[in-house]
Each structure stands twice: as C-alpha cells, then as structure tokens.
C-alpha cells in the first residue's frame, strides 16, 4: 500500500535535547550529575510535565521533597532552553527531502505545552508540518494508544480518507514506534538517519 503521510517524533530524531547539556554547567562531577538526574530531576518527573502537569506545580512539589536541591531544581525549567542544543542535521535533512517531495508531514511529540512554543518560535523547519500533536497540549502521552488516535484524527483533517497503514511514524524510542505498529501504522525505530532513510526508501518514499 502506498505511503501517503509521515509522522515525526521530535526529540532524538529532529532535536538534540538532553538535561545533560544544562547540568554539565551546573554539576561538574560526572557521577554527582548523573545521580542528580537519576534521583531528583528524573526523566519520569519530566514526563509528567510532558503529559500536562504545569511546570510551576512540578517545580514546587519537587522542591518540597528535596529542599536542599532547590537551586538545581529551579534551573531545570528556568534554563530549559539550554537543554535544547539544536537541530539534528541529518534528521532534519530527511524531513526536508520529504517536504521537497511534497509528502504530507505531521508531528507527534512528547513535549510540555509550556516549553514547546520556544521550539516553534526558534526552528523554522517546524513550519513544514501540517499539524503537530503535542502531548502536553492534549494531556496524553506516547505510548498511550489514545495519543496515536488523536494524531490520526489530525492527519484525517487534511487527508480525510487516509488509512492507518498509509502512515509512517518515526520515533527514536522503540516502544513508541511499536505502539504505532500495534495500531496498524508503519513504524520506524529511528536508530540512525542512514537506517531510517533506507527504511523510508523501502516503503517507496524518495529520500
């Protein structure tokens, strides 16, 4: 079946985002820094903001639990933009090639509703997307099947008769790609830009 649209995850595919980029400036020791990110400002804690919790509530509740780390906890969102190092050039090149080939493009990202506007304002390639489903805005998060259904609804607003198997979803997290596959989409686990290009080419897309 012909692929009619491609849906992109953002972090790890199009964006180089990592708390390490900020906390290397704040905690010089590798072991101490990793302990802080594994035990205080954890990925699980950040994911709750991606799912819709406000940054203010998240910061306040974590400081209440760990008051001795208040300054470092506040830095997480006060200096969040320093975690976003910039675009991943090879991933963006795939996006641009698909755009040039006039393939309809959509976004599906786990991202806080409060921090995503910074990316939208600073990275012009996001204008290539016809629609972007942001987890923090819809208060759903990958790999919950409900967020994929919300994404499909948005795709169908532009391509009303598209079927799930006519969609490709690219994500750097295998669990998220597999969740799309379970719903009938074509899923690509993004391990490298070269491998993703080969898989898109195998699906008949000229990249």
């Amino acid at each position: 079946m012909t692929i009619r649209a491609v849906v992109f995850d953002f972090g790890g595919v199009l964006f180089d985002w990592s708390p390490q980029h900020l906390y290397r400036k704040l905690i010089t020791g590798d072991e101490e820094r990793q302990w802080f990110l594994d035990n205080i400002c954890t990925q699980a804690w950040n994911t709750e903001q991606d799912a819709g919790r406000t940054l203010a509530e998240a910061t306040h509740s974590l400081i209440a639990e760990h008051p001795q780390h208040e300054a470092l906890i506040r830095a997480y969102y006060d200096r969040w933009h320093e975690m976003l190092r910039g675009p991943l050039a090879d991933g963006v090149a795939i996006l641009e090639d698909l755009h040039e080939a006039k393939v309809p493009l959509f976004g599906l990202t786990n991202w806080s509703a409060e921090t995503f506007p910074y990316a939208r304002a600073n990275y012009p390639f996001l204008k290539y997307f016809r629609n972007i489903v942001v987890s923090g805005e819809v208060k759903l998060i990958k790999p919950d099947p409900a967020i994929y259904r919300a994404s499909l609804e948005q795709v169908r607003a532009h391509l009303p008769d598209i079927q799930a198997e006519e969609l490709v979803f690219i994500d750097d997290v295998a669990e998220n790609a597999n969740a799309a596959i379970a719903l009938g989409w074509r899923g690509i686990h993004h391990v490298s830009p070269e491998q993703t290009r080969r898989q898109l080419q195998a699906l008949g897309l000229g990249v």
Side-chain angles (χ1 to χ4, degrees):
M1 184 168 285
T2 301
I3 299 303
R4 298 178 57 198
V6 178
V7 183
F8 277 82
D9 170 47
F10 287 177
V13 179
L14 301 176
F15 286 99
D16 177 8
W17 177 87
S18 173
Q20 292 281 354
H21 298 330
L22 168 62
Y23 283 93
R24 283 191 192 99
K25 304 172 188 177
L26 303 177
I27 306 173
T28 55
D30 291 347
E31 290 187 11
E32 182 184 358
R33 181 174 61 254
Q34 194 59 55
W35 180 90
F36 178 82
L37 294 173
D38 287 344
N39 294 278
I40 308 298
C41 288
T42 65
Q43 182 55 48
W45 171 75
N46 178 67
T47 296
E48 292 190 51
Q49 287 68 269
D50 288 351
R53 183 167 67 169
T54 69
L55 307 189
E57 180 186 348
T59 301
H60 177 78
S61 63
L62 198 60
I63 289 171
E65 291 179 39
H66 306 283
Q68 71 275 29
H69 296 295
E70 178 174 357
L72 288 171
I73 292 168
R74 288 195 183 281
Y76 197 98
Y77 289 115
D78 286 349
R79 299 175 60 177
W80 176 90
H81 63 282
E82 295 177 55
M83 301 182 196
L84 191 61
R85 180 174 284 176
L88 293 168
D90 290 341
V92 174
I94 294 172
L95 176 75
E96 290 173 338
D97 288 349
L98 290 167
H99 175 67
E100 287 296 318
K102 302 190 185 310
V103 176
L105 302 170
F106 298 86
L108 174 55
T109 181
N110 283 354
W111 202 308
S112 163
E114 293 176 76
T115 57
F116 188 70
Y118 175 87
R120 197 185 285 276
N122 286 278
Y123 295 95
F125 63 81
L126 292 179
K127 295 177 182 176
Y128 295 153
F129 293 101
R130 299 190 182 192
N131 180 269
I132 300 169
V133 172
V134 178
S135 63
E137 294 176 356
V138 298
K139 295 182 170 53
L140 298 167
I141 197 159
K142 294 177 291 183
D144 183 345
I147 197 169
Y148 297 87
R149 289 193 285 269
S151 179
L152 181 56
E153 286 179 12
Q154 291 301 320
V155 174
R156 284 179 171 158
H158 297 265
L159 304 167
D161 60 342
I162 195 168
Q163 301 303 306
E165 59 267 27
E166 296 173 309
L167 277 174
V168 178
F169 177 55
I170 303 169
D171 198 299
D172 68 316
V173 176
E175 183 180 13
N176 295 341
N178 290 337
I181 292 170
L183 293 170
W185 302 26
R186 307 295 184 95
I188 293 177
H189 177 209
H190 182 79
V191 177
S192 72
E194 296 77 18
Q195 182 173 315
T196 294
R197 276 190 182 275
R198 289 194 295 270
Q199 292 185 68
L200 289 170
Q201 289 163 356
L203 291 169
L205 294 169
V207 291

